[in-house]
Amino acid sequence: MENVWLVANDSCINGIIGLMNCLRLEPGGEVFRYIFHMDTNTDTNINFNTKPYSDILANDLMANVIKEGKADTGERVMGLEFGRMFCTSANVADNYMTAIPEHWSMAEAVTVLSTYSTVHYGLIKRANLNKGESVLIHSAAGGVGQAAINVCKHYECLIYATVGTEEKKQFLINKYNIPEKRIFSSRDILFKNEIMDATDGQGVDVVLNSLTGEKLSAGLECLAISGRFVEIGKYDMIHSKQLAMNYFIRDIQFIAVAIDYVMFNDINYLNEFYHWMHKNCTNGCVKPLNYTVFEAKDADKAFRYMTSGEHIGKVIVKMRDEERERTALTFIKPVPKLLVSVKTYFNANKVYIITGGLGGFGLELIPWMQSLGARKFVVTSRSSLKTDYQKFIYNRFVKKSQNKKYFASDLMVSTANG
């Protein structure tokens, strides 16, 4: 079977992308392709013997965009998104993406995004890092820690670091040539006295912190007069940790960094970060970090490895191998064979009972079943509706809901307490 082409030229691409994602989940769905005309007045009569359609046919990409009479180039891109990313495909806004530098692989590009954006916002934009300053980097063998080391080396800073294991200590010595006498343990608060001894009692200009509890307080005591404390951990913020006000007598700054909130609330920040990244991607300031790769089928192993605290750098789940040839294809790929199977469907007239349905899995199962036709649910649970999310799901699926943007469905909750 030849490739199946879909063409759209209205102002909304979401519909055709959603349809394509559904089709490609089915066996044989790889034969589908689509063309989206951003030029709304473009003639949609397709002739693959003429440009830009001949280029589209040769590239053999699933998604093809025509803008100002020119076709999508198949450019490698990198970007960030807010949630919804445990998936095989996503519809991401243009301003969240940028081109991948030619000398980086896609795996290398992944190591840069969240790490260097955190460092850029915390150290460069907020803490105004200056050349030659002294910086204490906690958890320095982690992704953000290594990114901070590269940036601080570029600024010719005096780097002090903490790590959790001897292996990570040796990694910093061998990889970044940080002297052993400037690397301390993050397992206790002894680093405070060691830092003050190493700096002749002056302290450091900047602390990049990810430690919690008494270690956070110890880090504050490592600051020099007019120092800046950049907090990138959220644990103490979420749990409302109290700080003694006497710390601030020394004219210090406490800078809290929640990069996800920054990107969500400041639509221009990512463009600023991407500009800085491209400007510094060849001078040693921004360069890919070391990483450990897991195949997609081993995603569970990747998460367990990440939570063990043993990893150094980033953990990557690889969905597929990257093409060796990074330019557009110049030949037409053979058409794959098409297999057909029955699509999952739930009868709208039947009632579906979900035991333990107020748990995390059950709450996600209901919307999925509803999207595939189910309309009547009975949910059993040991307790009644307690959390805001449980109440949200319940209100979303009962007919009495006043929020008209959701499909009306019947949902009854039965608990052990009646």
Side-chain angles (χ1 to χ4, degrees):
M1 180 178 177
E2 295 183 356
N3 289 347
V4 179
W5 290 88
L6 301 178
V7 183
N9 66 341
D10 55 26
S11 60
C12 180
I13 195 173
N14 292 331
I16 193 169
I17 288 180
L19 175 61
M20 288 297 299
N21 287 338
C22 291
L23 291 173
R24 290 177 69 82
L25 290 175
E26 301 297 327
E30 64 272 11
V31 302
F32 288 93
R33 307 286 186 266
Y34 75 79
I35 297 173
F36 176 65
H37 288 275
M38 295 190 67
D39 307 324
T40 55
N41 295 324
T42 301
D43 184 2
T44 57
N45 292 323
I46 297 177
N47 183 352
F48 285 115
N49 293 317
T50 62
K51 289 182 177 293
Y53 300 107
S54 58
D55 293 333
I56 289 175
L57 187 65
N59 289 341
D60 195 32
L61 300 172
M62 180 198 80
N64 302 273
V65 179
I66 294 180
K67 182 178 181 181
E68 298 178 356
K70 296 181 180 179
D72 176 20
T73 62
E75 185 178 31
R76 300 186 312 143
V77 295
M78 57 195 291
L80 291 160
E81 179 58 289
F82 309 103
R84 304 182 293 112
M85 295 310 292
F86 291 102
C87 55
T88 56
S89 60
N91 181 19
V92 183
D94 289 345
N95 58 306
Y96 292 169
M97 299 186 296
T98 188
I100 298 177
E102 284 299 318
H103 59 292
W104 291 356
S105 69
M106 297 184 80
E108 289 174 331
V110 169
T111 69
V112 168
L113 289 166
S114 62
T115 53
Y116 280 93
S117 59
T118 300
V119 171
H120 171 262
Y121 185 79
L123 292 185
I124 307 299
K125 188 175 176 67
R126 294 291 305 280
N128 298 311
L129 184 67
N130 294 311
K131 183 177 181 180
E133 289 190 304
S134 57
V135 182
L136 169 60
I137 302 171
H138 285 303
S139 303
V144 175
Q146 290 187 52
I149 289 175
N150 286 328
V151 171
C152 290
K153 280 180 148 313
H154 180 72
Y155 277 74
E156 300 178 9
C157 295
L158 184 62
I159 298 173
Y160 298 91
T162 66
V163 292
T165 66
E166 181 64 26
E167 178 187 4
K168 294 179 179 180
K169 177 180 179 180
Q170 292 302 318
F171 170 78
L172 295 185
I173 294 173
N174 298 332
K175 175 73 174 180
Y176 295 104
N177 296 318
I178 299 177
E180 183 177 6
K181 65 180 180 181
R182 296 211 299 266
I183 304 176
F184 314 105
S185 173
S186 60
R187 296 297 185 184
D188 50 50
I189 62 172
L190 294 179
F191 67 81
K192 177 184 70 173
N193 296 331
E194 293 168 330
I195 286 289
M196 297 308 291
D197 289 342
T199 59
D200 296 326
Q202 297 299 310
V204 295
D205 297 307
V206 180
V207 172
L208 182 65
N209 183 68
S210 56
L211 305 183
T212 62
E214 62 177 358
K215 298 173 187 176
L216 184 152
S217 300
L220 280 166
E221 296 180 28
C222 292
L223 277 178
I225 295 175
S226 301
R228 290 93 75 201
F229 189 91
V230 181
E231 171 63 23
I232 63 173
K234 292 183 179 178
Y235 183 86
D236 285 323
M237 288 188 277
I238 292 174
H239 291 84
S240 300
K241 175 182 171 60
Q242 303 296 311
L243 292 178
M245 291 300 292
N246 64 321
Y247 288 127
F248 298 94
I249 291 177
R250 293 179 290 124
D251 187 37
I252 68 171
Q253 297 179 49
F254 187 98
I255 302 169
V257 175
I259 195 64
D260 49 344
Y261 283 88
V262 174
M263 295 176 183
F264 186 78
N265 291 301
D266 185 356
I267 194 173
N268 297 314
Y269 173 70
L270 273 180
N271 284 330
E272 179 183 347
F273 165 66
Y274 289 147
H275 176 77
W276 175 83
M277 180 198 75
H278 284 291
K279 179 181 177 181
N280 292 283
C281 70
T282 57
N283 60 13
C285 181
V286 179
K287 53 186 177 182
L289 309 175
N290 66 298
Y291 56 88
T292 303
V293 178
F294 289 84
E295 298 292 336
K297 63 182 178 64
D298 297 323
D300 59 327
K301 297 179 182 178
F303 283 103
R304 283 196 291 268
Y305 177 63
M306 183 172 62
T307 57
S308 69
E310 298 176 357
H311 68 285
I312 297 177
K314 300 295 290 184
V315 177
I316 294 177
V317 176
K318 183 176 68 174
M319 303 305 295
R320 62 175 176 82
D321 292 331
E322 182 178 356
E323 295 85 352
R324 294 183 179 179
E325 179 59 53
R326 297 180 180 178
T327 58
L329 300 176
T330 57
F331 61 93
I332 299 176
K333 294 181 179 179
V335 178
K337 295 181 180 180
L338 179 64
L339 300 177
V340 179
S341 66
V342 178
K343 183 178 178 64
T344 302
Y345 175 74
F346 296 98
N347 192 319
N349 296 317
K350 293 184 178 181
V351 178
Y352 298 90
I353 301 176
I354 304 177
T355 59
L358 294 185
F361 180 80
L363 291 176
E364 298 304 321
L365 183 63
I366 294 172
W368 176 75
M369 293 179 63
Q370 192 263 0
S371 69
L372 296 176
R375 289 295 181 268
K376 298 178 181 179
F377 303 89
V378 173
V379 174
T380 65
S381 178
R382 293 182 179 180
S383 60
S384 60
L385 300 170
K386 291 184 177 180
T387 69
D388 290 340
Y389 189 61
Q390 290 173 338
K391 296 174 183 177
F392 165 76
I393 293 294
Y394 179 78
N395 291 329
R396 173 177 178 175
F397 286 95
V398 294
K399 286 184 176 178
K400 65 182 181 181
S401 174
Q402 297 179 356
N403 195 335
K404 302 299 183 181
K405 72 177 182 177
Y406 298 121
F407 293 104
S409 299
D410 291 326
L411 184 150
M412 181 176 73
V413 176
S414 175
T415 68
N417 299 323

